[in-house]
Every structure is written in C-alpha cells, then in structure tokens.
Amino acid sequence: MKKQSSSKPKGNQFTARIREFALPLKIFWGLFFFGVLIGVGIFGTAAWGGFGPMPELKQLENPDTNLATQIISADGVELGKYYLRDNRTPISFKELPKDLVTALIATEDERFYSHSGIDWRGTLRAVFYLGKKGGASTITQQLARQLFVGIRSQNKKEAILQKVKEWVLSAQLERRYTKNELIAMYLNIYDFGYNADGVQSAARIYFDKTPQELNLQECAMLVGMLKNSSLYNPIRRPDRVKARRNVVLDQMIRNDFIDTVDRDSLQALPLEIRFTPQSHREGLATYFRAYLKEFMDDWIANNRKSDGEKYNLYGDGLKIYTTIDSRLQAIGEASVSAHMKNLQREFFIQNTEEQNPTAPFLDLREGQVDTLLMKTARRSERWRKRRVAGWEEEKIWEDFQKPVDMEVFSWEGEIDTLMTPLDSIRYYKHFLRASLMSMEPQTGHVKAWVGGYNYKHFQYDQVKQGRRQIGSTFKPFLYATAIDQLKLSPCDSLPDALYCVEPFKHGNDEAWCPKNSGDRYGRTRTLKNALANSVNTISARLMDKVGPRPIINLARKMGISSRLPAVPSIALGTPDISLFEMVGAYGTFTNQGIYVKPTMVTRIEDKNGMAVYEVVPQTRDVLSAEAAYVTVNLMQGVTEAGSGARLRHAGLEKTNYIYENVITGYPYIFENPIAGKTGTTQNQSDGWFMGMVPNLVTGVWVGGEDRSIHFKEIGFGQGATMALPIWGLYMKSAYEDEALGISKEAFLEPEILTIPLDCEALAEERKRQVKSEEEDLDDLGF
C-alpha cells in the first residue's frame, strides 16, 4: 500500500509535464506541417505555372537551344560554323576532359552526385549566413536557370519566385537525365563570351584547341569563368581571371582531386591565352565557306525535314562534311599570301605617281578613270544601302566624297585612316587579286579553295564567281581535239609561219591571222614544242583543221559552262572562264579522259547524326584514254622545256632581277613528272598556271580587279611570273607533308597507245625509213 501511495505523485508529475509541453509541441508540429503544406503548395503552384509559365514535358526532354551548323574538313577539322546568335556545338560527356568535370564539381557543386537537384545542406547554410559563405545553386539549378528561367531578377520577390521555379525544374531535370548528361548539358549551354557558346567553342576561341586537348590549368580557367563570364573575362581582365582560376585549383585540392605540389606549380603559370575569335570573315577557308553558304541555302530551299519543316542553317546543329583538306587549304592560303605580298611590292614600285599618273590603271585617260571609279561606286554596298534608304543620287555622290574614319587593308597589317569612300575605291584597286583551287581528279573532291587572300576586305570570290580571260591555258582543249580527231602525235611538225584562217570559214567575218609573242617566226616546230612555248601560229593551223565547234563541244563535256563564241580566236583563250571550271576540266586529262564533276560536300547530317544528304558522283566519258594521255604528255613539255620550266631549273636568282625579287620561292627544283600550262592575256591583264600531277590538279589565277590594272612588261605580267610561283610554293609545301599522299609517280599510261610519243626515237625511225627508201631507189637505178 505504501508503494502504491508513493507512486501517485510521480505519475501526476509526469502527466503535468506532458501537459506543460503539449501546447509547444502542437505549435511546433502544426508549424512544421503547415510549412510542409506551404512548401508543397508553393512547389505545386510553381509546377502548374502559378508563378509564370513553366516548360512543357516536351521542352524538358528536348530543351530548345540554338545549335550552330558545323563545317567539317575531309581530315576531320572544323573549318567554321554558321550561326546568328549562338555559336554552340554540343559534345557528349565522354568527350569532356576528366579535369574539366572534376574542376566543375569541386568548384560549383561538391555534393552533385549525392543530391537530387537541390542541395538542402547548402541551402540552409546560405540562408543562415545570408550567402556570405557561398551560394546554394547546384549545377542542375544553374542549368535550369540557363535553359528556362533566365537572368536573376533584381527584384527580391521575383528573385525568390525564380529560385522556386529553379528548384521545381531541377527536380524534374534530375528525373529525366543522368548526372553525367546534366554536366554535359550545362557545359554545352553556358555562354563564355566572344561567341563562345558552350565549352567546345570556348576551347577553340580561348585556346585554339578541342576540349579533349585542354590541360588542367585551362580547364580550371574555363570553370572559373562560369561564375560570371563578363566579370571574369580573360581578354579584358586577365589578372582577375588568373586569381579565379587559382581559386578553382584550391577547390580541387580541397576535394582531393589534385595534390599541393600540382596546385602550387599550376597556380604559378600564366594564363597562356591563344585568342582565336570565330567569325564568318576570319579563319580558314573563308571564301569556301561563303560559297558553301550559297550551296546550303539552295539545298535547304529544296529539302525539308521529315515533319515538313524547313531546315534552319543557323540553329539546327547540322554537320556538313566537306572535301576540303585543312592542311592543303592552309598551305594554299599561305602560298597565295606569300607570293602576292611579294608581287604587290613590285607592282607598287612600278606604279608611283611619277611613273604612272593614272595609277593603278594603264591605257586609260583620267576621264576614263573617273568613269570607271563611278561605276564601281554604284556597285558598292555603301551605295546600295543609301539607295534603299531613299537617298537621292546627288546626295549619295556627295557622301562618297566626304572623308570618314575607316580601317583599310595593307600587306603590313590593317591601317586606321581618314579617307573618302571614293578614294578608298581607288586605293583598293591598287591591289592585285589571286585565287587557287586544287582537286583530286579521280574523285572530283576539291581539296583547297582560295578565293582571295583577305575575305574581310576583298569579298569577291575569284574561284567560282570571277570569270577572266584564260589565255593559252585554253590551248590544251584545241590540241586534245586535234589529237582525238586527227590522231596527231606530239612529234608531228608544222611550220611556224604567219598563218591566216580565211574569212567566213569558221564563223569569223574577217581573216584571222594571230601573231606570236614577240612577233618571231621562221622554223618548223613539233606540237610538243609549240604548246610548250605557246606558239600562236601553230594554234591557228590546228584551229583551221578542226574548227571551233568540236573544241566547244569538248569543253562543254569537260564542265565548262561559260560562254564560248564559235570563232577561231577561242584557240588563244579569249573567253572568260572561272578557275573552278578550268580545274574541273583539266582533271579530265589526268583521269584518262573521264570527267568528274567537282564535289565540295560529301554528306550532311542532322543534330542526331542521321544523314540527310549524301553525294552521288557525276561522271562522263569525254576523251579516249589515249587522247587524254597524249595531251598530258604534251603539257609535260611545258614544264620540261617551255614556259613552265622554271619549276625545275635553278641559278637564275643570282643574275636575273625578276627571279631574284619577284618569283617567290625560286628555285623549286621539282624532279617528278608535272604537266601544266601557263596563260597570259592581252596586256598582261591575267596570269594563269594550271599544273597537274597524277592525283592532284591545281589552278592559279592572278590579275587586277579591272583589265586596265596590269604590269607594263610581259616579263612581270606573264602567267609564269604572276601565277606559277604560287603553284610552286603550294606543291613544294604539300610534298613536305608525306601524310598528304601527293603523287610523285608518272602519269598512268593507257593499255592501248598507238600514237608515238618518243620524238627522238621517231625521228631516228624516219631517218632510217628515208635512208632505206633512198637505197631502194638506188637499187632501181634512179
């Protein structure tokens, strides 16, 4: 009984204590569940769009981002991109360097692989310390903000609502993507500045590398920029960026990704930026990319997606696989620039005001110069824009004569100057222009396309847009026609005497009597010698034998679409033809008489890697293999003993001004078989060289913007001086890179060859025949 009586007070005390804490507990749990309900309500409201529109399920699974179209070379190098706003090319997680991923996690989200989109521990820390010890945004939240929420509002209420939306979206993203996919998406979406959208573009623009080539300190710098790419701009604020990079390295040691020795050595290194801005006017193959833009516009106009929508060149992430070899392209551009800088120096020397008052024009009076400049002004973009804006012609003309600040081209670098637009037109006309195109004849694959030497200042493409008189480079079509029709041999001889095609015989109204260069005649020449030395009288005789129509038919079959008048003078190259057409046609000679249409694009893929276009080669038989081979043999004579022989000999640079100062890169000393043809037009307005080895045909053109812009003397203005050195520089550099596989072998001989090519052996045989005939006559008593 005592025990029972003694226990009652204790029970009452316990009950009293429960009653004492009951109210606070109820309040606590009430507040807790109320908070949960409020949280659920807020999350639910945000998820249903109560705080502003939320992305639909389809958008979450396929975020709407603009993807740049990539241009890929035949050797796997990115030549450039097409984009309007976002220069973005996504890469997979597997393509990201390990150092980049570890630096990202160590700096931006240490518990990334353990949370589900929201780091509650980090959130509570941020709330408790008011953000002074770091924020709480996870990588997933940052991705959600980049994709769907946008820039953080300065209004606190709106900023809180944005944060809630980020939480909701982060949870949804985490359910739909793996952690590795989220990292790749984040690094692909971030804007690093200077059109560096995504890590692939950033690696190329800041370091001229692919992401896989980045080293640890470069990865750390890019991760450091994620905090604010405008504030941490390596071009404008390198010291601040270096300090931020070093913070990233500190975070990596804190998370055991690197050791102190590595950290200390890396923090001491400079940034080593190799700034390579990407634009449509800079970089490799700019003229080719401009042509490719037209190709793609045409293709897009005639091809639709499977759902019927039109392709977007600037946002659909297409991949265009081209035939261009980035190595040959770089060699071609360097060769053109090297020679043109040298040639231009000589042109300036010969066109001072004292030597040529109408410089850079010859054969024009000052009034004619004014007319030419006015016509050029009317064709300019400046004139077009003012006409569109509604300006009167008189006002536009006044505008062209007012000095303005401008940046102009020079071979020593761009110059900031004050100049009238009209004076700038004349200034730019002083510069000679050039182009080069290189093609594999067996496939038609264009390996190099150099439409000029500076696309920013000279945007007219001289490969395909430009058509110029081709001079003697047209003669192989004449000779090939004669060989095919008449079975002529390179050893056949014709008299080198003035020859006239009579009036009205081949469409000519008057007698056509072409003269030789230098007005020299008086010997018999073999066809091989005549072509090697561009003897016009022999061309006149051959033209009279075959007529212009069969030559035109042959040229058409070989891909030449430019106007070809059916008159005898086409034998000397009077038509205007593009370098693109000429290279394609010459490929027929090397490819045993089979024409292969030049190809620039082999395949186009959509952003998922599915092929939406694949090229089908277009070929046709044009010449017999024998006729093509004999024509090639004729053109080999050009480089052995004719106008192209300077590709082989040496020593003249010591005694000849032109060889020493103008022919860039001489001596070349090629020893392998080369077929080629030089071309020089009237007044030296155009210089050409077409050169071939068994697996590469390369053409070069050099000249002024107008035909009145040229050298006075043929020694400086001929194709062998203006164009051939570019070919020599190009091929010499190409042969140095054995991986390119440029042939040094002999041209492929056809199985059936009935036309004799060994002129010395043929001459001996003819001597024996004559001697034998004389002996027979003696035996008969004559």
Side-chain angles (χ1 to χ4, degrees), residues 264-466:
D264 293 342
S265 61
L266 292 173
Q267 286 186 339
L269 295 174
L271 289 182
E272 295 183 349
I273 299 295
R274 187 177 179 185
F275 189 50
T276 313
Q278 293 183 343
S279 77
H280 305 305
R281 293 186 174 190
E282 297 172 312
L284 199 63
T286 47
Y287 291 90
F288 172 73
R289 285 187 272 142
Y291 156 76
L292 190 60
K293 166 68 168 54
E294 295 180 7
F295 174 92
M296 289 303 299
D297 286 344
D298 182 66
W299 182 83
I300 288 170
N302 293 285
N303 295 273
R304 298 266 174 172
K305 298 179 185 178
S306 57
D307 60 3
E309 286 188 12
K310 191 176 181 180
Y311 284 100
N312 180 356
L313 181 64
Y314 302 104
D316 278 346
L318 300 173
K319 284 189 176 181
I320 308 170
Y321 292 90
T322 72
T323 61
I324 297 295
D325 188 297
S326 67
R327 298 162 295 181
L328 283 174
Q329 180 70 30
I331 291 170
E333 292 182 11
S335 301
V336 168
S337 293
H339 179 58
M340 292 309 296
K341 182 178 181 179
N342 195 35
L343 187 68
Q344 190 67 51
R345 185 185 303 112
E346 182 61 33
F347 189 76
F348 281 145
I349 291 172
Q350 297 186 24
N351 280 275
T352 61
E353 288 187 12
E354 294 77 15
Q355 292 179 308
N356 181 14
T358 59
F361 310 100
L362 290 171
D363 317 315
L364 292 182
R365 298 184 302 275
E366 196 60 50
Q368 293 174 312
V369 170
D370 293 340
T371 301
L372 189 152
L373 293 175
M374 183 178 290
K375 287 181 178 179
T376 305
R378 290 175 183 276
R379 295 195 303 266
S380 69
E381 184 67 8
R382 187 184 186 90
W383 188 287
R384 186 191 69 81
K385 287 181 177 179
R386 279 150 180 74
R387 288 295 291 174
V388 169
W391 288 30
E392 296 292 331
E393 186 168 316
E394 185 177 342
K395 183 180 178 182
I396 299 176
W397 192 240
E398 290 175 359
D399 178 67
F400 265 75
Q401 297 178 75
K402 292 179 180 178
V404 294
D405 291 319
M406 63 177 67
E407 187 180 65
V408 297
F409 171 83
S410 85
W411 278 110
E412 306 306 321
E414 292 179 333
I415 300 172
D416 291 321
T417 186
L418 186 68
M419 188 182 293
T420 70
L422 188 62
D423 286 340
S424 74
I425 290 174
R426 188 162 189 163
Y427 172 80
Y428 275 113
K429 284 188 179 292
H430 280 78
F431 290 92
L432 299 173
R433 314 297 166 85
S435 57
L436 175 148
M437 176 177 153
S438 204
M439 185 190 79
E440 186 177 69
Q442 290 78 20
T443 62
H445 287 186
V446 175
K447 295 297 182 181
W449 179 305
V450 186
Y453 43 76
N454 189 297
Y455 187 78
K456 180 179 178 180
H457 293 281
F458 306 94
Q459 293 184 20
Y460 191 76
D461 173 37
Q462 297 289 356
V463 168
K464 203 167 193 293
Q465 281 183 300

Side-chain angles (χ1 to χ4, degrees), residues 2 11 31 49 55 60 63 247 257 263 313 366 397 443 496 526 583 612 639 657 677 694 720 754:
K2 289 181 179 179
L31 290 173
L60 286 169
V247 169
F257 290 127
R263 188 271 310 272
L313 181 64
E366 196 60 50
W397 192 240
T443 62
D496 178 11
T526 63
V583 172
V612 293
T639 67
Y657 176 85
K677 187 69 190 82
T754 61

Side-chain angles (χ1 to χ4, degrees), residues 89-106:
T89 303
I91 60 176
S92 67
F93 181 82
K94 291 181 179 179
E95 297 173 279
L96 294 172
K98 182 181 178 181
D99 289 334
L100 185 66
V101 175
T102 55
L104 173 66
I105 293 171

Side-chain angles (χ1 to χ4, degrees), residues 446-621:
V446 175
K447 295 297 182 181
W449 179 305
V450 186
Y453 43 76
N454 189 297
Y455 187 78
K456 180 179 178 180
H457 293 281
F458 306 94
Q459 293 184 20
Y460 191 76
D461 173 37
Q462 297 289 356
V463 168
K464 203 167 193 293
Q465 281 183 300
R467 285 179 165 82
R468 297 295 290 255
Q469 276 194 350
I470 55 173
S472 293
T473 54
F474 194 79
K475 287 178 179 176
F477 302 111
L478 166 65
Y479 279 71
T481 303
I483 292 166
D484 196 44
Q485 288 191 357
L486 308 175
K487 300 300 179 184
L488 295 179
S489 162
C491 307
D492 288 335
S493 299
L494 292 172
D496 178 11
L498 196 62
Y499 185 88
C500 293
V501 176
E502 60 191 62
F504 308 110
K505 184 175 182 181
H506 293 301
N508 49 315
D509 295 334
E510 299 176 352
W512 182 61
C513 310
K515 296 181 179 181
N516 289 337
S517 177
D519 214 17
R520 295 188 294 270
Y521 313 93
R523 55 179 285 195
T524 299
R525 293 179 182 269
T526 63
L527 295 188
K528 192 166 189 175
N529 178 278
L531 183 64
N533 293 281
S534 284
V535 180
N536 291 338
T537 57
I538 304 299
S539 296
R541 292 176 186 275
L542 293 177
M543 172 57 75
D544 200 18
K545 291 177 183 292
V546 299
R549 184 54 62 185
I551 302 169
I552 293 172
N553 292 339
L554 176 66
R556 291 278 181 251
K557 292 177 183 177
M558 294 169 78
I560 292 178
S561 57
S562 297
R563 180 176 176 272
L564 300 173
V567 293
S569 61
I570 64 169
L572 305 187
T574 54
D576 292 349
I577 301 177
S578 71
L579 179 62
F580 179 84
E581 295 170 274
M582 290 295 289
V583 172
Y586 266 63
T588 309
F589 297 128
T590 315
N591 195 34
Q592 296 187 295
I594 301 171
Y595 170 74
V596 183
K597 185 178 180 180
T599 298
M600 285 68 71
V601 177
T602 57
R603 179 183 173 94
I604 302 172
E605 291 180 354
D606 64 16
K607 64 181 180 181
N608 298 314
M610 297 294 292
V612 293
Y613 168 84
E614 289 187 286
V615 70
V616 178
Q618 298 182 36
T619 68
R620 56 175 170 263
D621 292 340

